[in-house]
Amino acid sequence: MKLASLALFLFLGAMSTSVRAQTPVLIVIQAATPAQAAIPAPPTASNVAESPGAIELLQTMQAANADVLKKQQAALATLDELQKAAEELKIFSKRG
């Protein structure tokens, strides 16, 4: 009994010294920076229309987005079919 309590006392003493010996957590604070220069205005409709290939670029992006949407719809349809097939398998496996 005395040996166990002595071992526990030594263990707790060793742990308390190791806890005190740890270095404190460093806190990093960002330096104050001067105000940023004037932020340029976002492009307006007139600025976009003036750029030579903006309309063609937008049309190309729209076509690419439409293709992605079609692929996603096809993938969702396939997933729906797989889910229905899985549910049917569950029903048939319970029957017999």
Side-chain angles (χ1 to χ4, degrees):
M1 178 71 174
K2 288 183 181 182
L3 183 61
S5 62
L6 179 63
L8 179 62
F9 179 73
L10 289 175
F11 176 72
L12 291 176
M15 291 301 293
S16 66
T17 58
S18 68
V19 170
R20 279 189 239 136
Q22 292 180 352
T23 59
V25 176
L26 296 176
I27 299 174
V28 178
I29 300 174
Q30 290 184 340
T33 57
Q36 294 181 351
I39 299 172
T44 60
S46 62
N47 292 345
V48 172
E50 292 173 2
S51 59
I55 294 175
E56 291 85 14
L57 177 64
L58 288 174
Q59 289 173 346
T60 305
M61 289 172 59
Q62 281 180 338
N65 286 340
D67 289 340
V68 169
L69 288 175
K70 287 179 186 178
K71 289 178 184 177
Q72 287 178 345
Q73 287 175 348
L76 284 175
T78 304
L79 288 174
D80 285 340
E81 291 173 7
L82 287 172
Q83 184 177 7
K84 288 177 185 178
E87 289 174 1
E88 287 179 5
L89 284 174
K90 284 181 186 178
I91 292 171
F92 290 136
S93 66
K94 289 181 182 178
R95 287 185 184 175

